[in-house]
Amino acid sequence: MKSIADPKQAEVRLNTPGTWLLVALVVVGVSVAALRLATGLGATTNLSDGVPWGLWIGFDVVAGVALAAGGFTLAAIVYIFGLEKYRPVVRPAILTAFLGYILVAVGIVLDIGRPYRIWHPIVFWQEHSVMFEVAWCVMLYLSVLALEFSSSIWEKLRLARLVNFMRMIIIPLVILGITLSTLHQSSLGSLFLITPELSPLWYTSLLPYLFFISAVGIGLAMVIFESFISAKVFKQGLEMKVLTGLARAAVFVWVGYLAIRFWNLIATGRLWDFTWNAQGALFLVETGVGMVLPVLILSIARLRNSPGWLFGAASLLIGGAVLNRLNTSLLGFPNTWQVGYFPSWMEFAVTIGLVSAALLAFKLAVKYTAVFAAYAHKPSTPGLKSAGAVVEAE
């Protein structure tokens, strides 16, 4: 069975110091994860009854789900709205989402007290629980992402029947993925409606809407960020017209998010509860540096069309959004500061190991599947045939 010849893939080298560093970090992370499963949360984390959720839930799960939102966002843009110019970045976005949700699932398994009961939501239904809905949506959406990404494998292997079958079902799959993402992205925000002790700077009845809107904004920023990294590492070329289009969309999304959030803070009087303490400083960094500043940068055409400014603004948006998720799930609670929670080195090792595993898997996927085949559709890339066209010609 022959695979599609992609000259770009031949340039992807696996035997590099960077690859071996990622392997080493994954080995450390897996070792600590095995220790956690063998000895429990108390022996490996600094969690307690006062702070039951820490780095693994705050970053690996709550922030991780948002960082993976580029998959359903780009799929909607390309397959539902028919904006074909964004097709070159849809597969990398779906791959990032697929890997991101795998890490989310691993993070949940490691964080729950009894990981061997992870299958319980499948059998023991709790229809009134937000966590039940999130669990089912994540399971189903992970399956949808696996199917969407499988097209890259079938095209690489020239399995024409499977490629054609995926083309037949891609629209229903995308619609299902958008529905599931809308449900669980907003439900994650709903989860914190039962935590009134959360600082008024973050607690609001609008959390489900804010979580969903910001997830779309994070997804757009992640696609821009990921495109710059791929251009640098995999020599795939930088589609500035595509990225500036996504940046314009991100401006509208984030302006809407900030308008709703600050209107709500002012209308409820909670903005006047602002005090100069650690949580106040986090709020200013999150909204000022991580949201308002990059939106201003992307609003100026000259800066938006500059690769350096565009990459910097996308990075700030991602940082601001991750900080928002950490503030909402961890740092915005008074107990976190009163107990003095700080993640143990083993919590950091597992999180770094998970991120390293995702980066390593992304590199392997670029090397051995047709992740960037969509670039071949562009007339500006001469000499590189469309993977889909090659399959059809077989």
Side-chain angles (χ1 to χ4, degrees):
M1 181 180 296
K2 294 180 179 179
S3 61
I4 292 175
D6 183 347
K8 293 291 184 183
Q9 287 182 312
E11 298 175 10
V12 178
R13 295 173 55 220
L14 296 181
N15 190 14
T16 65
T19 301
W20 287 112
L21 174 61
L22 292 176
V23 171
L25 293 172
V26 171
V27 170
V28 173
V30 170
S31 302
V32 174
L35 182 66
R36 175 267 172 267
L37 293 174
T39 61
L41 288 169
T44 50
T45 71
N46 285 337
L47 298 176
S48 63
D49 291 340
V51 184
W53 284 359
L55 180 66
W56 292 347
I57 289 295
F59 182 81
D60 300 356
V61 178
V62 181
V65 166
L67 292 174
F72 85 88
T73 306
L74 262 294
I77 289 174
V78 173
Y79 294 110
I80 304 302
F81 297 109
L83 301 177
E84 286 294 322
K85 81 170 189 176
Y86 298 104
R87 186 176 289 274
V89 292
V90 69
R91 278 192 177 173
I94 288 174
L95 173 59
T96 301
F98 181 43
L99 296 175
Y101 273 87
I102 291 176
L103 301 190
V104 167
V106 174
I108 292 174
V109 169
L110 293 176
D111 194 81
I112 59 176
R114 297 180 180 181
Y116 53 87
R117 293 186 174 180
I118 188 66
W119 55 273
H120 275 205
I122 300 175
V123 179
F124 303 110
W125 285 33
Q126 302 292 333
E127 297 89 347
H128 301 293
S129 168
V130 173
M131 290 292 286
F132 172 76
E133 180 201 336
V134 172
W136 264 98
C137 284
V138 169
M139 283 189 291
L140 293 173
Y141 186 49
L142 191 54
S143 305
V144 168
L145 286 170
L147 286 172
E148 290 179 346
F149 174 68
S150 69
S151 294
S152 301
I153 300 173
W154 311 143
E155 284 191 9
K156 179 67 179 177
L157 297 177
R158 296 186 175 186
L159 300 177
R161 290 185 178 179
L162 286 174
V163 171
N164 291 331
F165 174 73
M166 288 307 304
R167 286 177 178 172
M168 289 171 56
I169 67 170
I170 189 65
I171 297 299
L173 269 182
V174 168
I175 293 173
L176 179 59
I178 294 170
T179 303
L180 292 169
S181 296
T182 303
L183 288 172
H184 73 262
Q185 291 284 359
S186 59
S187 292
L188 274 180
S190 304
L191 193 61
F192 297 99
L193 293 179
I194 61 173
T195 60
E197 64 272 23
L198 178 63
S199 167
L201 294 173
W202 292 282
Y203 185 83
T204 169
S205 60
L206 299 181
L207 271 174
Y209 307 101
L210 292 175
F211 260 53
F212 175 73
I213 296 171
S214 60
V216 175
I218 299 169
L220 293 169
M222 270 298 292
V223 174
I224 296 171
F225 179 85
E226 168 197 287
S227 297
F228 274 93
I229 300 300
S230 294
K232 179 72 174 178
V233 176
F234 304 122
K235 317 296 183 200
Q236 289 292 335
L238 202 57
E239 304 283 342
M240 281 302 293
K241 288 185 178 178
V242 171
L243 302 186
T244 54
L246 295 177
R248 282 196 300 271
V251 169
F252 284 104
V253 173
W254 282 107
V255 166
Y257 170 87
L258 288 168
I260 294 173
R261 188 169 174 190
F262 277 92
W263 167 80
N264 182 254
L265 282 170
I266 294 171
T268 58
R270 288 179 289 113
L271 186 61
W272 318 128
D273 293 333
F274 176 85
T275 54
W276 288 101
N277 55 20
Q279 291 182 342
L282 288 170
F283 174 79
L284 289 180
V285 172
E286 173 198 318
T287 56
V289 180
M291 296 177 183
V292 175
L293 177 60
V295 166
L296 289 175
I297 292 172
L298 295 179
S299 300
I300 303 172
R302 181 175 60 83
L303 300 182
R304 186 172 62 241
N305 291 320
S306 163
W309 283 102
L310 180 58
F311 178 73
S315 303
L316 286 175
L317 280 173
I318 293 168
V322 169
L323 184 56
N324 170 262
R325 294 303 197 260
L326 288 173
N327 288 335
T328 306
S329 62
L330 179 64
L331 300 174
F333 290 91
N335 273 1
T336 304
W337 302 93
Q338 292 166 4
V339 174
Y341 167 78
F342 189 79
S344 69
W345 73 267
M346 288 185 278
E347 289 176 80
F348 279 115
V350 169
T351 295
I352 294 172
L354 288 174
V355 174
S356 300
L359 295 174
L360 196 58
F362 194 99
K363 189 172 188 178
L364 290 171
V366 172
K367 177 72 175 178
Y368 294 112
T369 72
V371 173
F372 288 106
Y375 277 101
H377 290 279
K378 292 186 67 61
S380 59
T381 314
L384 187 62
K385 289 185 177 180
S386 160
V390 173
V391 172
E392 288 177 340
E394 285 299 306

